[in-house]
Amino acid sequence: MTGQLTDFEEFVRTHLSGLLRYGHALTGNPHDAADLVQTVLEKIGSRWTHVQRKTGDPLAYVRRSMANAHVSRWRRTRRENLVADVPDGRVEPPADPFEHEPLWQALRELPPRQRAVIVLRYYEGLSEVEIAQTLGISQGTVKSQASKAIANLRGRIAGGREVR
């Protein structure tokens, strides 16, 4: 158990900053990114030996888990939640330095799978094969999602249309 804990601690120490950057690109803000990373690492930490033994590439497994968790959270929270009373005070979230950056805004508006493909390809520098393995999708799906995402980004930045 001590060896397992040490290995996991070393993994987290080595990859935490990259996972937080990846999470930020997926979620659109650093707070949700930290929550996403923490949630996924908590789940994976308890079965670290299994993850190492069965996956062959724990980092890809963690990235895939983050993408899946983000998509699941997005599906759950995108539904409208009606409340009986309007809150009294307005809470101002801290300013996001990229909030008014057109490319960042366009990236934030992409569907989760397209955003994950773009982030893994152009931010993390993974190949199509690595992205397919990370997200558990085919290489053809990676190509089509990347193509749609790039068309969406171009359209949004130019004020045009969105591609589904």
Side-chain angles (χ1 to χ4, degrees):
M1 182 69 175
T2 304
Q4 174 187 349
L5 185 59
T6 305
D7 290 345
F8 183 67
E9 287 175 354
E10 182 61 31
F11 174 84
V12 171
R13 193 172 17 263
T14 302
H15 297 288
L16 183 61
S17 62
L19 292 173
L20 287 169
R21 284 191 312 270
Y22 174 56
H24 188 181
L26 280 176
T27 64
N29 72 68
H31 306 292
D32 289 341
D35 289 345
L36 178 64
V37 171
Q38 180 177 352
T39 300
V40 168
L41 289 178
E42 283 176 356
K43 290 179 182 176
I44 289 174
S46 64
R47 7 183 233 109
W48 183 245
T49 303
H50 172 76
V51 169
Q52 283 185 302
R53 189 174 53 243
K54 297 292 183 180
T55 65
D57 186 357
L59 182 57
Y61 183 83
V62 171
R63 285 181 179 146
R64 179 178 178 185
S65 297
M66 286 175 63
N68 290 340
H70 173 63
V71 169
S72 294
R73 183 182 297 166
W74 176 78
R75 285 181 179 147
R76 278 192 316 271
T77 60
R78 74 177 176 170
R79 295 181 187 96
E80 186 175 18
N81 294 321
L82 301 177
V83 294
D85 298 318
V86 178
D88 291 335
R90 184 172 173 196
V91 178
E92 289 291 327
D96 182 351
F98 297 110
E99 183 176 350
H100 301 292
E101 178 67 36
L103 181 59
W104 191 254
Q105 289 174 336
L107 181 66
R108 194 177 312 142
E109 293 172 2
L110 287 176
R113 172 110 354 127
Q114 289 179 19
R115 185 183 319 162
V117 168
I118 291 297
V119 168
L120 288 172
R121 179 68 184 111
Y122 297 102
Y123 194 76
E124 293 291 328
L126 299 183
S127 70
E128 290 172 350
V129 172
E130 292 170 321
I131 296 168
Q133 291 171 345
T134 297
L135 297 178
I137 57 178
S138 72
Q139 195 172 347
T141 301
V142 170
K143 290 178 183 181
S144 70
Q145 291 293 297
S147 176
K148 289 176 184 177
I150 290 171
N152 275 338
L153 290 172
R154 284 183 181 139
R156 289 174 190 274
I157 290 173
R161 61 179 171 70
E162 176 182 347
V163 177
R164 289 273 175 199

